[in-house]
Each structure stands twice: as structure tokens, then as C-alpha cells.
Amino acid sequence: MGIINKLEKNARLDFDDGLKLYELDLFTLGHFANLRRVSMWGKKVYFNINRHINPTNICKDICKFCAFSANRKNPNSYKYTKEEVLQIAEDACKRGIKEVHIVSAHNKEHDLYWYIDIFKELKRRFPNLHIKAFTAAEVHFLSTLHNLSYEEVLDKMIEAGVDSMPGGGAEIFDEKIRAYICKGKVDSKNWLKIHELWHKSGRFSNATMLFGHVEERKERIEHMLRLRDVQDRTGGFNAFIPLVYQRDNNYLKVDKFLGSAEILKTIAVSRLILDNIPHIKAYWASATLSLAMVAQEFGADDLDGTIEKEAIQSAGGAKSAGGQALKDFLDIIVTSGFIPVERDSLYNELRVYEETDCGVCQ
Ligand code: V47
């Protein structure tokens, strides 16, 4: 069956189909991805009101693509105290944030019990605050540090009040590329295993893919297919987040850099291949807000959140350090012909905005 035929029949796509999708012209591909997106979410664009907290940038690993961790290119190392993390969260809660997204560098001075104290205290003070914490790479690091199984680390996270896991640390699953860009980090099998175990405990997580560096289309497709396999078994991934590689201040030498068309194609391909993951997030901090908004016509249905302070993409050159004002989300969503929907971390709808709620319409 030809690729267009398969798309028209909503047939499940395989690896070769993924390559063929990329060969389609941007608008044909976008048309099919948008049909799929509209059939699932209509004209809704999801976002949440959240705060990112990165307690330290002192890392035992040196991922070549990472500009956030302290190294020769980023001499500004930092390490928050527990009280500082709690204070940041408390201030953010006063401003109405509903989720803290806590991820960190791999630093043995901030061990599992250091974080557990923070999670427990956060839940004590703010029982309704959603704690999204620890990438699978951190779970792997902490399990090695304490000689605990993954299950034991995950159980301790649950006991301390962690609600969901973010999708970071996935990078690109291809092991040859991993060995080159992030040697020493959790391998792809274990990244997937940790999420599968988390899902089996009845909880949800997200999955990222870092693209636009040394990988090729075939590795992106393989990455998506491996996620789809896990999702067939667990149903625990809420969102797929293709992260656009930021090129500044790191050790990865990349001559070519991706144009918008390839970014949009990758988002569209992910919508079509990942037929079992409900949401595709065009992460504004890595794609820019305007391209993330265009991506809503190419399969994405989510922008991520207001973030308040963004440290990872911005270290690599993105203009995301100060987060995003809610008003800007609302205005750009409405002027693009979509409906802004504030969601919680698990995609329950909290508020569907009417045009008259938004500054642009007043
Ligand atoms: O895992 C590091 C990536 C990720 C660079 O789950 C880079 O909802 C681009 O995972 N260029 C952390 N990306 C961010 C992340 C995330 C973000 C938003 C929402 C969610 C979610 C997860 O950032 C890391 C790594 O893959 N990263 N360096 C860079 N130069």
C-alpha cells in the first residue's frame, strides 16, 4: 500500500513509512498530521502554569550537547540548598503555579534522600501541587549511587509524593549516537525500562527526543517506534516532546542546523507514527513560541507551560530564560485561530478560554 493510501486509511505506520513521510512535501505531510490532530483535539492548544526548578548544574556526566552543566564553557556552577528550592516553589505557588518540574544534574552531593526531603516537604505545604520530577537518567544515576534497584528508587519517589515523571534524558535511543553524544548516561534500554516500571505503578510520564544534531531521520523514526512499543504495553506516556537541539556553548560540533521545515516535518511525523501517544508537545522553549504555534497546524497540540525560569535550552542559546507570560500564550493561540486550554499536568482541562478572556480581543 502506498504511503498516502495508508494515511487515508489511518493504518499503522512502520519504519519505511516513516522515511516515506519525510519525503512528502511539507504541506501534504502537514495536512495528514493536522487531520489526525484535529480528530483528537479539535482546535484546542494545551498549556499549563508551571515552574521549572533545576537544583544544581554540577554534573558527573559530560554530555556533549549540554550547555547547562557546569564545565569549561559554563564556569558558573551552582547548587541550591533545600531551603532555596522550597522557597522558589513557595513563591511560585503564591503566583498560582500548579506544577513544579524538578530536574537536575547528576551530583552525588544531592542524593536521593536530599530530594526526598524536598518532595515530602512540598507535599506537606502544598498538597495540591503536582510534582513532576526525575528524568529516567536521574533515576538511573540515583539507583547506581545508592545501590538500589530502579523499582526501589521509583517506590521511594512515589512514597515522597512525586506525581509524574518528565521525559528528559531520552536524547536519541540509537546506541552508537548515544556513545558519541552522552557516553556514561543511562542507555536506551534502561531509559525505556524505567518508564515502563513507572507506568506499571499506575503513573504517567512523558518522552522526549533531542534532534537536529548528529542524528539522521532514520534514528528519529527508530526512537519513535521504540516509544510506541512501550506505549502499546503500558499506555503510560502522556506526551511526546521533540526537543530542537540548541547549538551554543557545548562540545558537540554540528555544522548543519535544522531549518523550520525539518522541525515541522519531525513534529508531523511524530504525530502520525505515535498513534498511541495522546499529546505531541511543541516545546516553545526549544522551538521558539512562533514556530511552536505553527507546529500546532502540523500535528502538535501542546506548548508546555509558562515555566518562569528556564535554564537548559537557554544555556544553549534559546531565548527562553524568563519563561513565558500567560497573556502571550493566550494572544498567540487566539490570533492563530486556536482555542487556549489550560490543563493540569495529566491533561485534565482546567479552563477553556473564550475569545473574550484574552487580551488580544479586549
Ligand atoms: O534531557 C540538553 C535536553 C532535556 C540541550 O517532560 C537540550 O514535560 C536542546 O526533558 N538543546 C531537558 N535540548 C528538558 C526536558 C523537558 C522539557 C520540557 C518538558 C518536559 C516534559 C521535558 O533538555 C534534556 C536534554 O535532552 N537538552 N541540552 C540542547 N543543547
Side-chain angles (χ1 to χ4, degrees):
M1 207 191 302
I3 187 67
I4 297 290
N5 217 326
K6 272 188 139 176
L7 289 169
E8 282 169 349
K9 292 197 154 65
N10 270 336
R12 184 157 255 209
L13 304 174
D14 62 19
F15 180 82
D16 290 337
D17 296 326
L19 290 175
K20 286 181 199 150
L21 288 178
Y22 271 111
E23 293 302 321
L24 294 174
D25 72 87
L26 179 62
F27 292 104
T28 304
L29 175 61
H31 165 74
F32 284 105
N34 188 50
L35 281 182
R36 191 71 59 86
R37 179 249 200 260
V38 170
S39 75
M40 297 167 87
W41 308 115
K43 296 296 271 181
K44 290 175 175 174
V45 172
Y46 292 95
F47 62 89
N48 72 345
I49 310 281
N50 65 347
R51 164 82 198 199
H52 281 198
I53 306 179
N54 308 109
T56 181
N57 66 349
I58 302 170
C59 196
K60 78 155 188 60
D61 291 320
I62 303 177
C63 296
K64 286 201 178 92
F65 55 79
C66 182
F68 165 69
S69 76
N71 57 49
R72 259 188 303 129
K73 293 200 171 184
N74 175 7
N76 307 313
S77 65
Y78 72 87
K79 208 168 57 171
Y80 292 155
T81 62
K82 282 182 204 169
E83 291 64 38
E84 283 172 321
V85 175
L86 290 168
Q87 192 59 54
I88 291 168
E90 179 159 344
D91 292 345
C93 283
K94 285 187 192 140
R95 289 188 293 276
I97 63 120
K98 302 187 174 72
E99 169 197 284
V100 276
H101 177 160
I102 301 179
V103 300
S104 223
H106 307 158
N107 177 347
K108 63 180 181 337
E109 289 176 42
H110 282 184
D111 68 9
L112 179 59
Y113 302 100
W114 189 88
Y115 287 100
I116 286 203
D117 287 349
I118 291 175
F119 300 150
K120 284 190 170 157
E121 184 57 20
L122 279 175
K123 276 290 163 177
R124 195 187 64 76
R125 291 193 206 171
F126 310 104
N128 296 325
L129 178 66
H130 183 102
I131 302 179
K132 178 158 92 178
F134 284 165
T135 65
E138 289 174 280
V139 171
H140 174 78
F141 165 72
L142 294 167
S143 107
T144 313
L145 181 68
H146 296 286
N147 201 16
L148 292 170
S149 66
Y150 294 149
E151 287 90 335
E152 287 169 322
V153 176
L154 299 177
D155 283 348
K156 287 182 192 302
M157 287 161 58
I158 291 168
E159 207 186 298
V162 174
D163 295 289
S164 69
M165 275 178 68
E171 321 314 355
I172 274 280
F173 289 146
D174 180 272
E175 284 302 336
K176 271 219 230 81
I177 295 184
R178 276 186 109 68
Y180 177 64
I181 67 172
C182 57
K183 193 160 179 254
K185 201 170 197 165
V186 63
D187 65 20
S188 55
K189 242 172 73 193
N190 282 318
W191 190 98
L192 291 161
K193 179 178 172 185
I194 290 166
H195 280 267
E196 187 153 358
L197 288 168
W198 181 254
H199 298 167
K200 283 189 175 143
S201 77
R203 285 167 171 78
F204 291 91
S205 68
N206 292 332
T208 57
M209 174 181 80
L210 180 64
F211 74 109
H213 44 90
V214 298
E215 94 294 346
E216 294 178 16
R217 289 172 173 177
K218 64 180 177 355
E219 283 99 21
R220 293 181 213 149
I221 296 165
E222 187 217 336
H223 187 104
M224 294 174 203
L225 290 173
R226 288 182 68 186
L227 289 170
R228 191 174 76 183
D229 275 356
V230 171
Q231 184 75 344
D232 275 343
R233 288 194 293 278
T234 69
F237 288 119
N238 267 333
F240 176 66
I241 309 157
L243 297 168
V244 182
Y245 168 63
Q246 310 295 317
R247 344 181 251 169
D248 293 351
N249 309 318
N250 70 52
Y251 293 102
L252 200 56
K253 300 222 168 358
V254 177
D255 326 315
K256 56 164 173 68
F257 86 107
L258 287 192
S260 306
E262 188 71 7
I263 294 171
L264 292 175
K265 278 192 167 188
T266 300
I267 288 169
V269 167
S270 73
R271 176 62 291 160
L272 293 165
I273 287 195
L274 295 171
D275 52 15
N276 55 2
I277 297 190
H279 297 280
I280 304 292
K281 193 183 280 191
Y283 184 37
W284 68 265
S286 83
T288 75
L289 183 56
S290 23
L291 191 62
M293 203 54 233
V294 177
Q296 307 298 315
E297 311 263 5
F298 287 79
D301 59 273
D302 189 283
L303 293 168
D304 198 70
T306 45
I307 299 179
E308 294 198 340
K309 184 163 190 262
E310 199 289 316
I312 298 175
Q313 310 295 314
S314 55
K319 306 273 176 288
S320 51
Q324 194 63 59
L326 173 61
K327 180 186 182 314
D328 293 343
F329 268 165
L330 299 178
D331 285 353
I332 198 169
I333 294 170
V334 171
T335 52
S336 306
F338 286 87
I339 303 162
V341 180
E342 186 193 337
R343 59 165 173 85
D344 69 10
S345 307
L346 303 176
Y347 287 88
N348 298 301
E349 293 184 1
L350 300 179
R351 177 167 178 187
V352 180
Y353 281 80
E354 305 291 330
E355 281 204 11
T356 44
D357 293 324
C358 308
V360 73
C361 317
Q362 286 166 5

